[in-house]
Amino acid sequence: MPDADIDGAGTDAARGLGAGAPAELRALASSLDAMGTELTRRAAEAKALGERYSEIVDSAAEAILALDADLRIVEANPAAHAMFGAMDGALLGLPVARLSGGAALADLASRCLAAGKPVSDDVALYAQAGTTLRASASPLGGGRRGVVLNATDISVMKRLETMRRDFVANVSHELRTPIHLIRGFAETLRSGPPGEDAAKYLEIIERNALRMERIVSDLLQLARLERDPADWLQLETCSLEEICVSATEAMQPQAAAKSVNIVADLEPGARLRANAGLVEQALVNLLENAIRYSPEGASVRLEGR
């Protein structure tokens, strides 16, 4: 009943009675007036509360979908329409299974209905490669059979997790090479009397110890970058020949073990602006893979321009 009708009903009841009306009728009229006023107040409060909740849901950054017992969408906020690339209102009435990645969402909602309690899972949107949602489904309240789905895009977080895993694996790989070189040459020096190559071996040990120091320094710098992204890796003008020769010498023991010949063809005097330690580490990784996957007696060619 409209607010004005509620209020008017009580008012008309009171206004239609004269002073000579029986006390019982006047009391009834007053009760009707009071009831009409109270109903009007409650209706206004309910309307305001509904508008407030609607504003909250519409402003939510996560997608919110209300489904009926047949898993059809009965309500969807703007974030849900944006997430699934639909115009405002276009999702209403659609089975949730028809959405991109909707099969997984429908399965989540079905499990929620069957269990009668909230369930959650990560869902991939197949039409949008690389998009992952963290979705949860809760039974609809108020005695109605249905499900409320909410989903948050966690693609960036997933990519960061993958990057961290890859980073740890790469650092482990990069540290392993200089550690093996230092151990190998240290054992060579210890196994026999110092020869004419001892100074060269010591130089390689020192260079790889410095490389490990640079790797650790880079790790510390990356930690600082997380706190202050304005800072970045230090760049300097480097000699291409020095970087390539250093990388080649570091990999000579592995090459000799497989009788692989490393041939360097470098442009004399070539210079570049870069982080010399990281470029050398990249070359060492490339040379290591080339030596490992080349047959014995093969040649690995390193060209620099």
Side-chain angles (χ1 to χ4, degrees):
M1 182 182 295
D3 299 348
D5 293 340
I6 295 174
D7 189 41
T11 303
D12 289 344
R15 186 182 298 120
L17 296 174
E24 292 84 354
L25 288 179
R26 289 201 302 272
L28 179 59
S30 296
S31 296
L32 288 174
D33 283 342
M35 183 182 300
T37 301
E38 180 65 15
L39 287 175
T40 300
R41 185 185 66 79
R42 292 189 179 185
E45 288 181 353
K47 181 180 179 182
L49 185 62
E51 290 176 349
R52 190 178 305 122
Y53 283 144
S54 179
E55 290 171 359
I56 293 172
V57 171
D58 288 348
S59 302
E62 64 179 10
I64 300 175
L65 300 167
L67 313 179
D68 62 16
D70 296 323
L71 303 186
R72 288 183 175 272
I73 301 170
V74 294
E75 294 290 346
N77 69 341
H81 285 85
M83 178 175 287
F84 295 103
M87 299 290 291
D88 288 346
L91 296 180
L92 302 184
L94 290 177
V96 71
R98 287 183 56 186
L99 300 180
S100 172
L105 290 174
D107 176 68
L108 190 69
S110 297
R111 284 191 278 140
C112 174
L113 283 176
K117 61 182 181 181
V119 294
S120 60
D121 203 353
D122 290 347
V123 177
L125 296 187
Y126 304 113
Q128 304 175 33
T131 301
T132 304
L133 304 180
R134 181 148 294 165
S136 62
S138 303
L140 194 62
R144 298 169 58 188
R145 184 170 170 77
V147 175
V148 175
L149 280 174
N150 63 75
T152 304
D153 191 338
I154 59 169
S155 304
V156 173
M157 186 173 68
K158 284 287 188 182
R159 284 195 290 272
L160 286 175
E161 289 176 357
T162 302
M163 288 173 63
R164 286 184 182 276
R165 285 196 302 269
D166 292 345
F167 177 72
V168 171
N170 288 336
V171 168
S172 300
H173 177 74
E174 290 177 1
L175 285 172
R176 188 179 301 118
T177 299
I179 288 172
H180 285 173
L181 285 170
I182 291 172
R183 284 190 58 188
F185 283 111
E187 290 173 359
T188 300
L189 290 172
R190 189 179 60 184
S191 62
E196 59 182 17
D197 292 329
K200 182 179 179 181
Y201 293 165
L202 288 171
E203 181 185 347
I204 293 175
I205 289 174
E206 181 182 13
R207 186 166 60 243
N208 280 278
L210 290 174
R211 199 161 98 208
M212 289 175 61
E213 185 179 347
R214 285 198 300 267
I215 293 172
V216 173
S217 177
D218 289 339
L219 290 175
L220 295 174
Q221 188 163 12
L222 285 174
R224 289 194 297 270
L225 287 175
E226 289 186 343
R227 296 192 299 269
D228 183 12
D231 193 13
W232 189 230
L233 295 175
Q234 298 297 319
L235 301 180
E236 57 186 353
T237 301
C238 313
S239 166
L240 175 67
E241 185 175 7
E242 288 180 5
I243 293 174
C244 292
V245 168
S246 179
T248 302
E249 288 181 351
M251 296 310 300
Q252 283 296 347
Q254 284 91 328
K258 288 190 66 174
S259 300
V260 170
N261 183 33
I262 301 178
V263 180
D265 181 7
L266 309 173
E267 179 181 339
R271 303 184 74 77
L272 70 157
R273 186 165 176 77
N275 183 291
L278 294 180
V279 174
E280 181 182 337
Q281 186 60 55
L283 289 176
V284 166
N285 290 344
L286 290 172
L287 289 170
E288 182 180 22
N289 287 333
I291 294 168
R292 179 181 300 163
Y293 297 110
S294 294
E296 289 193 10
S299 292
V300 171
R301 187 174 183 83
L302 174 63
E303 296 184 5
R305 298 286 182 270

